[in-house]
Amino acid sequence: MKRYRRHIVAAGIILFTIAILYITGIIEGVLTIILLLSLFPYASFSIFLYLVKLPRRKNAIDVYGITEKK
């Protein structure tokens, strides 16, 4: 789960950087849209995988004690 959190943070930083570059006028509108469209699948899959509940691994517990080998 922590790995996907890092991806979400990375996507947020990239999105913020693109927005700042657009506001300051360093990049044009068409380039901004292309960058945002290429960032969208990365961000959406990161959020989806972060929100998916993975089944926990169940460990077997020996309730009768140590089993004997025959």
Side-chain angles (χ1 to χ4, degrees):
M1 296 297 270
K2 290 182 181 181
R3 182 175 70 185
Y4 299 119
R5 248 185 243 167
R6 283 187 241 142
H7 288 288
I8 293 172
V9 170
I13 291 171
I14 294 169
L15 178 68
F16 182 73
T17 305
I18 292 171
I20 294 298
L21 291 174
Y22 177 72
I23 290 171
T24 58
I26 295 174
I27 59 176
E28 297 294 322
V30 175
L31 182 60
T32 303
I33 291 173
I34 291 171
L35 289 173
L36 291 176
L37 286 176
S38 63
L39 178 67
F40 177 73
Y42 175 68
S44 62
F45 279 115
S46 296
I47 292 171
F48 174 74
L49 293 173
Y50 174 73
L51 295 176
V52 168
K53 301 283 185 187
L54 298 176
R56 292 186 176 214
R57 181 178 172 196
K58 295 182 180 179
N59 294 329
I61 299 174
D62 188 7
V63 294
Y64 297 111
I66 300 173
T67 57
E68 298 178 13
K69 293 184 180 180
K70 293 183 179 181

